[in-house]
Amino acid sequence: RFSGDEFYVLTRGYSEQDAKSLIQDVNKYIDNYNKLSSKPYLISVSGGFAALTPDASCDSEQISQLFEAADQNMYHQKMNKDKKFLR
């Protein structure tokens, strides 16, 4: 957990397609949860990713840039989705 409602998942050996599939799987799970839930509100998630193949010269600045790129990717997805909060 990074802060508030933000979480980071660090993976090893994931391709861009693997990351997209993970985000799609999480969204499918949440959609199914919303269909089965009797709560008066809907749950939603937005996910972003970025990839880096670290080497010996990888430093904290590159890691910070990686997190920033993933964050921007997530905000882009968030802004382009339907906003439904209540049933």
Side-chain angles (χ1 to χ4, degrees), residues 17-53:
Q17 186 54 47
D18 292 331
K20 287 178 181 179
S21 291
L22 176 62
I23 292 169
Q24 287 173 345
D25 289 346
V26 169
N27 279 310
K28 285 179 192 175
Y29 179 87
I30 296 297
D31 287 343
N32 190 51
Y33 174 86
N34 283 330
K35 288 176 187 170
L36 298 174
S37 174
S38 61
K39 294 183 174 27
Y41 54 86
L42 299 172
I43 303 294
S44 72
V45 297
S46 298
F49 67 91
L52 171 72
T53 302

Side-chain angles (χ1 to χ4, degrees), residues 7-23 46-54 58 61-77:
F7 296 83
Y8 287 135
V9 176
L10 301 177
T11 63
R12 181 176 171 208
Y14 262 47
S15 68
E16 182 174 323
Q17 186 54 47
D18 292 331
K20 287 178 181 179
S21 291
L22 176 62
I23 292 169
S46 298
F49 67 91
L52 171 72
T53 302
C58 185
E61 179 63 28
Q62 286 178 298
I63 300 299
S64 293
Q65 290 172 355
L66 182 68
F67 284 128
E68 179 64 28
D71 210 36
Q72 291 300 315
N73 190 327
M74 184 270 304
Y75 280 113
H76 178 73
Q77 182 191 36

